[in-house]
Amino acid sequence: MFTRSELVLLHHVANGMTDVSDLSETMGITPVRVYEIIRSLKCKGILSDIRDIKLSSNAYALRLASLMRPSSNRAEVLADSGIDVLIELREPHDVAEIVADLGLSRASVYRRLKLAMKTGAVRKDGEMYVLNDLMWNGLREALDSIVDQREVFDPRVVSGAVIYRNTRGEVLYSYPRELDDRKTAFSMFGDYGYDVWLDTIYYTTSDIEIGIDKAFNDAYIVSEKEDDVRLRMTLILFYLGNRERIAADPTFLEKLGRIQAGDRIPRWPTWADVQSRLNDKVVS
């Protein structure tokens, strides 16, 4: 996410203003505050230098800068949860879907949609909202670049981490060494009596309790991203041994039902494979 001040400063930088004193005067803030914003944008991969105030050369930074160049008023639409809402609207969504996907209040979503429609970034089609590609040139491309960037980079986690989920409230990721963030996914299975040999450690930046439900569903997200049959077999075995304690993701339950019915899902174990790893008591 970006703050309004970060995006306003980016607007000025995109239009050639790179002197701290000029930025301070134009934005009505102190030079110290300007440097704080610059450091934050560098941490987020938008600026490549602090002293020279240069845009990073990646597509993510350049497209966001291009999007902000026409008007600093766009900061109101994009700041805070604004980008997340717009990312959702690359495909038509209604308010309830946006609320469910992002965990925002309905009031916040309506406020964001009202701002976006006022500036022409979003249009309404019945009960559905979608990007208005004709009004904000480059908006969809910038949002796509942000999504791509989030898959590989986030300032909340160590450089070199593999990111599986990146949301406003959490990054789910793996790293081969011990870190201060809390473990989740397969790295928590041992706490529930199922030891797994791992060549990496799975972490979350979330501050919510890591119970068996979250550990399992995080592991499901990892298994989907990794496309690894070994991890998926472990996931199924763990679920079958703890199914009365787990509120599993419905899409996992749908896959498991198909596997049990004899369907062959690419890169997932067959039911015969699963049965060969289970005793009769667990399978029944």
Side-chain angles (χ1 to χ4, degrees):
M1 293 190 297
F2 296 91
T3 66
R4 181 185 178 280
S5 296
E6 288 171 344
L7 292 169
V8 169
L9 186 141
L10 181 59
H11 160 75
H12 293 305
V13 172
N15 282 285
M17 187 179 294
T18 58
D19 180 78
V20 170
S21 297
D22 290 343
L23 288 166
S24 172
E25 182 178 354
T26 300
M27 295 177 65
I29 57 179
T30 66
V32 171
R33 178 60 182 144
V34 171
Y35 276 117
E36 289 174 350
I37 297 170
I38 291 170
R39 278 192 291 270
S40 179
L41 287 174
K42 185 176 186 298
C43 184
K44 293 177 180 180
I46 301 299
L47 299 180
S48 62
D49 203 332
I50 292 179
R51 290 186 178 180
D52 293 337
I53 316 183
K54 294 181 179 178
L55 282 170
S56 295
S57 59
N58 61 69
Y60 157 67
L62 296 175
R63 283 180 170 152
L64 185 60
S66 178
L67 194 64
M68 281 304 307
R69 185 175 292 118
S71 172
S72 63
N73 291 332
R74 290 185 170 186
E76 298 290 345
V77 179
L78 300 173
D80 302 322
S81 59
I83 285 178
D84 291 328
V85 171
L86 293 176
I87 285 172
E88 290 285 301
L89 298 182
R90 291 177 298 164
E91 299 293 336
H93 280 67
D94 62 23
V95 171
E97 290 171 331
I98 300 170
V99 168
D101 289 346
L102 299 182
L104 299 171
S105 69
R106 292 181 71 88
S108 293
V109 171
Y110 275 120
R111 183 172 64 84
R112 285 289 162 196
L113 291 172
K114 183 178 179 180
L115 278 170
M117 291 179 68
K118 183 178 180 181
T119 60
V122 169
R123 61 181 175 84
K124 190 175 183 183
D125 185 4
E127 295 300 314
M128 309 296 279
Y129 296 84
V130 69
L131 293 183
N132 189 353
D133 293 302
L134 296 177
M135 293 297 292
W136 275 37
N137 184 41
L139 175 58
R140 184 176 294 271
E141 291 79 8
L143 295 173
D144 288 343
S145 288
I146 290 171
V147 172
D148 289 341
Q149 181 79 353
R150 286 179 176 181
E151 290 183 354
V152 297
F153 171 80
D154 190 286
R156 291 173 289 181
V157 302
V158 64
S159 177
V162 177
I163 296 175
Y164 303 102
R165 177 176 61 209
N166 191 332
T167 67
R168 295 168 58 248
E170 174 189 25
V171 182
L172 170 63
Y173 70 99
S174 67
Y175 195 68
R177 292 194 287 275
E178 290 283 346
L179 299 171
D180 290 336
D181 280 335
R182 294 192 297 167
K183 296 175 183 177
T184 186
F186 296 100
S187 296
M188 286 289 291
F189 281 14
D191 289 8
Y192 301 100
Y194 194 106
D195 292 323
V196 185
W197 183 88
L198 300 168
D199 56 6
T200 192
I201 306 170
Y202 299 95
Y203 294 100
T204 176
T205 62
S206 172
D207 57 5
I208 69 172
E209 180 182 357
I210 312 297
I212 192 169
D213 284 343
K214 178 164 176 56
F216 175 81
N217 287 310
D218 283 350
Y220 174 56
I221 291 170
V222 170
S223 73
E224 288 284 81
K225 292 278 190 176
E226 290 284 3
D227 195 24
D228 185 322
V229 175
R230 179 182 66 90
L231 287 179
R232 290 169 175 176
M233 173 66 84
T234 299
L235 188 78
I236 292 173
L237 295 175
F238 183 78
Y239 175 76
L240 293 175
N242 297 277
R243 55 186 146 191
E244 293 182 355
R245 306 164 62 192
I246 297 173
D249 187 303
T251 61
F252 167 79
L253 295 177
E254 185 269 336
K255 283 189 175 74
L256 181 59
R258 289 173 56 195
I259 291 169
Q260 290 175 313
D263 284 2
R264 289 183 174 270
I265 303 177
R267 303 292 296 168
W268 280 81
T270 66
W271 186 238
D273 295 331
V274 174
Q275 286 181 308
S276 70
R277 298 284 302 275
L278 292 169
N279 59 44
D280 292 340
K281 181 179 179 180
V282 175
V283 175
S284 62

